[in-house]
Amino acid sequence: MFGSSSSEDLNGSGSDCSEEVEIIVNVGGIRQILYGDILSRYPETRLAELMNCISGGYDAIFSLCDDYDPGQREFYFDRDPDAFKCIMEVYYYGEVHMKKGICPICFQNEMEFWKIDLCFLDECCKSHLSEKKEELEEIARRVQTILDDLGVDTTESRWKRFQKYVWKFMEKPESSFPARVTAVLSFLFILISSIVMCLGTIPDLQVEDSEGNHVEHPTLDNIETACIIWFTMEYVLRLMSSPNKLHFALSFMNIIDVLAILPFYVSLILTHLGARLMELTNVQQAVQALRIMRIARIFKLARHSSGLQTLTYALKSSFKELGLLLMYLAVGIFVFSALGYTMEQSHPETLFKSIPQSFWWAIITMTTVGYGDIYPKTTLGKLNAATSFLCGVIAIALPPFTPLSTTL
């Protein structure tokens, strides 16, 4: 493409380029004329460096572009033209927006090539980029886990190999038939424990102790103990075989496992030893408060249900949107509570005694529950209630979203 141009032509072109304030670039077959006064706003970028590269010779030119035509003084780049259109926004608007449909990781590579700092990327696009990075990191972790399962390191000790076997046995039910049976048994124990917890509250199935208090039937208590023993053995085996015990202990699902078994042992300690340190009534109240924590066991089903895992991942991915929805509702609850309290003060039989008490009315009104225990009696109060009802329907029915700016 250079033909037989001499060094004098090259230097002459360089001097002309310095006098003229425009350069011609061809990105992916699309030819554009760029002006130096615009590019000089960000002198550290690749496009700004093109204005002064010709005087440095072919080495300087080819360090910045893929090809160059000295006759047309045109720089060629084998890059994505759609991404380049987005990149050019930084010179005109001071920020960059990703066009819809462009891979965020590829766009990041394009920004690095054109020497545009990521700080110029708009916040909405940054969140999209971070979400994509998290997805790729999760995929990489799963792939690495699969590779670790397939590979066998003969240099490892027997204990290490045993740990890997137990971890694979407990964490991957699809790895073998016994592992699948163990997962099914764990699933059944979770269901049985949840059912026993519910049946234990039925008065007809309870018995009286020596003090005349109603307690769970001994049979249900024995079943509960058997379930706890299974959960404890399961947790200890998984903890012992975990490759990263700190990460294991801080994992959400493993915290749920601890909350599922801890109340049993704490209640056992309080029942046998607490009576010596405090009154029996206080011990019973503490045990009753701890027993309600057994409801955490139902969350253990997520470990054995891909549907619940998908739901958890979806909630995690939509955390910002859910937070936005809660913020909308919180603002509406505060505003309509204050208005309802103010408008109802003129009525002698008002049910709105204070703004905090009005929060309850605003919550059940905006969520369309409407128990009827608190309701407005004045005309303005009813108008305020109708408005809050409509705002609640709109806020909940319409999914919150962050508008993404796209370059068309």
Side-chain angles (χ1 to χ4, degrees), residues 334-368:
F334 181 82
V335 170
F336 291 116
S337 297
L339 290 176
Y341 170 76
T342 304
M343 295 174 179
E344 289 294 306
Q345 286 305 296
S346 60
H347 198 280
E349 298 180 358
T350 179
L351 299 175
F352 293 76
K353 303 300 183 181
S354 64
I355 292 181
Q357 186 185 23
S358 302
F359 287 166
W360 168 250
W361 167 82
I363 291 173
I364 62 177
T365 301
M366 294 191 69
T367 55
T368 71

Side-chain angles (χ1 to χ4, degrees), residues 197-214:
M197 182 186 69
C198 297
L199 294 178
T201 60
I202 300 177
D204 294 339
L205 297 180
Q206 294 178 343
V207 296
E208 293 185 357
D209 58 8
S210 57
E211 284 81 16
N213 299 317
H214 289 275

Side-chain angles (χ1 to χ4, degrees), residues 112-271:
E112 292 175 355
F113 174 81
W114 296 108
K115 300 182 180 181
I116 304 295
D117 197 275
L118 284 177
C119 65
F120 293 106
L121 192 62
D122 191 72
E123 290 299 328
C124 62
C125 301
K126 284 182 180 178
S127 62
H128 191 197
L129 177 62
S130 61
E131 290 175 1
K132 183 60 65 174
K133 284 184 176 180
E134 291 176 0
E135 291 179 7
L136 293 178
E137 290 174 357
E138 180 65 24
I139 293 174
R141 283 194 295 267
R142 294 186 179 184
V143 171
Q144 186 61 43
T145 301
I146 295 174
L147 294 177
D148 292 341
D149 293 339
L150 294 177
V152 178
D153 190 356
T154 56
T155 61
E156 291 182 342
S157 63
R158 290 185 177 181
W159 172 247
K160 285 290 185 182
R161 291 199 296 270
F162 176 74
Q163 277 186 312
K164 284 188 174 182
Y165 174 79
V166 174
W167 178 257
K168 185 177 180 180
F169 182 84
M170 301 299 297
E171 290 290 327
K172 298 176 177 57
E174 69 279 359
S175 61
S176 63
F177 179 75
R180 192 176 297 110
V181 172
T182 302
V184 172
L185 286 176
S186 181
F187 183 83
L188 292 176
F189 271 109
I190 295 172
L191 289 181
I192 293 173
S193 176
S194 302
I195 293 173
V196 167
M197 182 186 69
C198 297
L199 294 178
T201 60
I202 300 177
D204 294 339
L205 297 180
Q206 294 178 343
V207 296
E208 293 185 357
D209 58 8
S210 57
E211 284 81 16
N213 299 317
H214 289 275
V215 296
E216 288 187 0
H217 195 280
T219 303
L220 297 180
D221 201 18
N222 293 334
I223 297 175
E224 170 78 6
T225 303
C227 293
I228 289 296
I229 292 174
W230 174 270
F231 295 149
T232 304
M233 291 175 55
E234 184 183 40
Y235 182 82
V236 170
L237 287 175
R238 293 174 57 247
L239 177 62
M240 291 176 57
S241 61
S242 172
N244 189 338
K245 292 178 173 52
L246 179 61
H247 181 268
F248 176 88
L250 298 179
S251 175
F252 175 75
M253 289 306 303
N254 295 324
I255 293 175
I256 293 297
D257 291 342
V258 173
L259 293 178
I261 62 178
L262 189 61
F264 176 84
Y265 293 106
V266 176
S267 301
L268 196 65
I269 294 173
L270 289 177
T271 302

Side-chain angles (χ1 to χ4, degrees), residues 11-158:
N11 295 330
S13 300
S15 61
D16 294 340
C17 183
S18 62
E19 294 174 0
E20 297 179 0
V21 290
E22 66 180 34
I23 61 174
I24 302 175
V25 297
N26 190 312
V27 180
I30 297 179
R31 192 169 183 264
Q32 300 187 44
I33 299 177
L34 307 177
Y35 297 95
D37 59 337
I38 300 296
L39 301 180
S40 60
R41 295 175 181 176
Y42 301 97
E44 301 297 328
T45 60
R46 184 179 292 267
L47 291 175
E49 294 176 356
L50 287 178
M51 295 187 297
N52 302 318
C53 72
I54 298 181
S55 59
Y58 291 144
D59 292 339
I61 293 174
F62 279 102
S63 66
L64 296 174
C65 64
D66 297 318
D67 208 344
Y68 175 68
D69 183 357
Q72 299 291 332
R73 288 188 300 184
E74 185 172 352
F75 300 89
Y76 291 85
F77 295 90
D78 187 16
R79 310 297 299 188
D80 184 3
D82 293 330
F84 181 73
K85 292 180 182 179
C86 303
I87 296 293
M88 286 302 301
E89 291 185 359
V90 71
Y91 296 98
Y92 296 97
Y93 310 115
E95 61 181 6
V96 180
H97 294 269
M98 261 191 304
K99 185 178 180 181
K100 188 176 182 180
I102 297 179
C103 173
I105 304 301
C106 296
F107 190 80
Q108 181 184 3
N109 295 334
E110 290 292 323
M111 291 187 66
E112 292 175 355
F113 174 81
W114 296 108
K115 300 182 180 181
I116 304 295
D117 197 275
L118 284 177
C119 65
F120 293 106
L121 192 62
D122 191 72
E123 290 299 328
C124 62
C125 301
K126 284 182 180 178
S127 62
H128 191 197
L129 177 62
S130 61
E131 290 175 1
K132 183 60 65 174
K133 284 184 176 180
E134 291 176 0
E135 291 179 7
L136 293 178
E137 290 174 357
E138 180 65 24
I139 293 174
R141 283 194 295 267
R142 294 186 179 184
V143 171
Q144 186 61 43
T145 301
I146 295 174
L147 294 177
D148 292 341
D149 293 339
L150 294 177
V152 178
D153 190 356
T154 56
T155 61
E156 291 182 342
S157 63
R158 290 185 177 181

